[in-house]
Amino acid sequence: MRRLFVHFYIFIILAVIGLGWSLEHILREEEPSMPVWMPPFASLLSAQVPHMSHPNQLAEQLNETVIAMPLSAVAWPEPELQRLATGEAIALFNSRQQIYFYLLAQHQPEAELWRIGPIGQPVDKPTYWYHLLAFALLILLATLWVWPLARDLLKIERHLGKLPQQTQQPLRLPKRSMVSSLADSMNAMRKQIQHLLGLQRELTRAVSHDLRTPLTRMKFTLALLTEKKHQDALSADVIEMEQMVETLLDYAKLEGQEKLLQRSKVNMNELCVNLVDKLNSMPGPQVQLHMSGYISCLCDGHYIERALQNLIQNARVFANEKVDVWVIKKKNHVIMHVDDDGPGIAEDDHAYILQPFVRLDPSREKAHGGQGLGLTIVARIAEWHQADLSIHTSPLGGARFTFTLPA
């Protein structure tokens, strides 16, 4: 960042100096050409002034303005002072290309300077294009400075959009780039993130794989048991561990699946009716579906069905008697509410419950075979679809999970 500031300040200094020097040369007026009548007129003035005692006499004769002023009123160089001392008339142009003649009247008690003029029509040059030129040059210089910076920042933005991809090459920027240090830091961060993601996947797969070995031994021991009481207890543990392994493997497979989404126009009426019928055929509280009219949505139907299934199954686990599912179409969104009449969820636990392996009531959820990953999977699917998952208090008294999906 320090390098960027230094580069910016140097650019400002050089731009101001360069523009000032350039415009000074561009706007510098060319020396106007001397009219052919000027030398004879100057000679005439030099000859007549010594015979006049007052400027008004010369003004009446020439029909021009003549005023007297001290010699010190003009900062004359030494050569011009010598020319004035010899009685020579000196001609000067003003900014409007009018001519003034200066002579030294030495016959006065004190030598005074007479100025004749201005002579000639004033010439007004338009100056607005000078300002336009200054603005245009400043914009051009600023563009030349900003363009490489904007180009490199765009490269970084595109690179960040592809950060999760393992096959991505490190971002390479020229060493002279003002944000090369930012690119280096981003590459280091990318390596660390990918390393951590790899460790997470390897850990999940290793744990799931290693759990299969004791499961196999437990199944073998279960087959050798003869007492019904021990057999039932061990069978329940085996089923729970199998469900845990399958859930862990399922969660691990979700990593990197976002790019495999197959979006299409999905009939939400058909999807919800089939899902509710399937779940109502299983033991547990019955699910009531509420929806009206035809509702469709552009999404991946497989993952949306899975998210809704996880929400309904979670509601059935904690519901006392009733689970309601509402599917509503509002403008450009499809809103799905899943309500239950269970104990509900404290507001402080709303964000916490969406994290992996979180169970607010482990003893109760263990009895229903939960592993604390169902809502995490729903949150991941919502993230893939740029949807919103929120938790509120249900009108039934329990928890309400709201899945808002862009239509």
Side-chain angles (χ1 to χ4, degrees):
M1 189 60 66
R2 182 181 302 173
R3 179 183 177 185
L4 182 61
F5 277 116
V6 170
H7 195 283
F8 175 73
Y9 291 140
I10 292 176
F11 162 78
I12 291 296
I13 294 173
L14 293 179
V16 171
I17 294 176
L19 279 177
W21 182 85
S22 301
L23 291 178
E24 180 182 357
H25 285 74
I26 293 174
L27 303 182
R28 180 182 295 172
E29 296 181 357
E30 296 182 358
E31 191 70 23
S33 59
M34 182 180 296
V36 295
W37 56 266
M38 281 184 59
F41 188 77
S43 300
L44 177 63
L45 292 176
S46 300
Q48 291 184 353
V49 167
H51 305 289
M52 297 182 180
S53 59
H54 197 275
N56 290 339
Q57 294 177 304
L58 183 61
E60 292 176 0
Q61 183 177 351
L62 299 178
N63 196 24
E64 296 287 349
T65 302
V66 180
I67 62 174
M69 61 180 63
L71 181 61
S72 60
V74 180
W76 296 102
E78 188 62 29
E80 276 72 13
L81 283 175
Q82 295 178 2
R83 291 170 58 189
L84 288 172
T86 61
E88 183 179 350
I90 297 178
L92 297 178
F93 289 86
N94 66 5
S95 60
R96 305 177 72 181
Q97 295 190 5
Q98 293 174 296
I99 304 173
Y100 287 100
F101 286 92
Y102 294 87
L103 295 100
L104 189 61
Q106 298 180 352
H107 57 275
Q108 301 296 330
E110 292 184 4
E112 62 180 9
L113 193 67
W114 289 8
R115 188 185 72 181
I116 301 94
I119 302 174
Q121 295 297 325
V123 178
D124 294 324
K125 291 186 177 180
T127 59
Y128 62 87
W129 70 272
Y130 296 153
H131 302 290
L132 293 178
L133 178 61
F135 282 119
L137 290 175
L138 185 59
I139 292 173
L140 177 60
L141 291 176
T143 302
L144 293 177
W145 186 85
V146 171
W147 174 252
L149 178 63
R151 177 198 60 201
D152 293 340
L153 290 177
L154 182 60
K155 288 182 180 179
I156 293 178
E157 181 183 359
R158 292 174 178 173
H159 194 81
L160 285 173
K162 302 176 182 179
L163 188 59
Q165 298 180 10
Q166 292 292 326
T167 58
Q168 181 189 16
Q169 296 297 324
L171 177 61
R172 303 295 184 189
L173 293 180
K175 290 298 182 182
R176 64 179 182 275
S177 173
M178 292 178 286
V179 290
S180 58
S181 59
L182 178 62
D184 295 338
S185 300
M186 195 192 70
N187 287 330
M189 179 190 68
R190 167 185 167 274
K191 290 181 180 180
Q192 185 177 7
I193 291 176
Q194 291 182 345
H195 176 67
L196 293 175
L197 289 176
L199 289 179
Q200 178 195 8
R201 284 191 291 268
E202 291 175 5
L203 177 63
T204 306
R205 292 168 183 168
V207 170
S208 302
H209 179 270
D210 291 343
L211 283 175
R212 292 187 181 276
T213 300
L215 272 175
T216 303
R217 291 199 300 266
M218 292 172 68
K219 286 183 178 180
F220 178 74
T221 305
L222 182 61
L224 297 178
L225 287 178
T226 56
E227 295 187 18
K228 180 67 174 174
K229 178 178 65 174
H230 294 159
Q231 190 175 19
D232 291 343
L234 186 56
S235 177
D237 290 337
V238 170
I239 293 174
E240 181 183 352
M241 290 191 68
E242 281 186 325
Q243 291 177 346
M244 182 182 300
V245 170
E246 293 301 326
T247 304
L248 284 171
L249 289 174
D250 210 14
Y251 181 70
K253 291 177 182 178
L254 284 178
E255 194 68 42
Q257 293 296 310
E258 180 180 3
K259 59 184 179 181
L260 301 180
L261 289 181
Q262 298 180 358
R263 299 178 186 269
S264 60
K265 188 176 182 180
V266 176
N267 186 332
M268 298 299 295
N269 303 70
E270 181 179 351
L271 183 149
C272 294
V273 169
N274 293 338
L275 177 60
V276 169
D277 290 344
K278 179 179 70 173
L279 295 178
N280 280 336
S281 64
M282 302 177 183
Q286 292 295 294
V287 181
Q288 297 292 328
L289 177 62
H290 306 273
M291 60 188 311
S292 60
Y294 173 75
I295 300 176
S296 64
C297 182
L298 185 63
C299 60
D300 188 310
H302 168 72
Y303 284 111
I304 294 300
E305 180 180 6
R306 180 168 184 185
L308 186 58
Q309 177 177 322
N310 285 8
L311 291 177
I312 296 176
Q313 287 179 332
N314 182 76
R316 297 182 80 204
V317 167
F318 293 100
N320 294 322
E321 297 179 353
K322 192 174 183 181
V323 175
D324 284 350
V325 177
W326 298 82
V327 183
I328 306 168
K329 179 71 175 291
K330 285 188 176 181
K331 295 183 178 180
N332 296 325
H333 293 84
V334 174
I335 303 175
M336 294 175 283
H337 300 296
V338 179
D339 299 323
D340 65 71
D341 60 350
I345 302 174
E347 185 175 354
D348 294 339
D349 295 328
H350 286 180
Y352 177 66
I353 198 175
L354 300 178
Q355 299 178 10
F357 306 106
V358 171
R359 292 181 292 184
L360 299 181
D361 189 357
S363 59
R364 181 176 180 182
E365 197 161 335
K366 183 177 179 181
H368 294 82
Q371 288 80 38
L373 286 174
L375 295 179
T376 305
I377 293 174
V378 176
R380 183 65 58 86
I381 295 174
E383 179 183 347
W384 291 348
H385 287 81
Q386 288 81 48
D388 179 66
L389 178 62
S390 57
I391 307 173
H392 307 279
T393 300
S394 169
L396 302 180
R400 160 173 280 190
F401 287 83
T402 301
F403 194 99
T404 304
L405 183 67

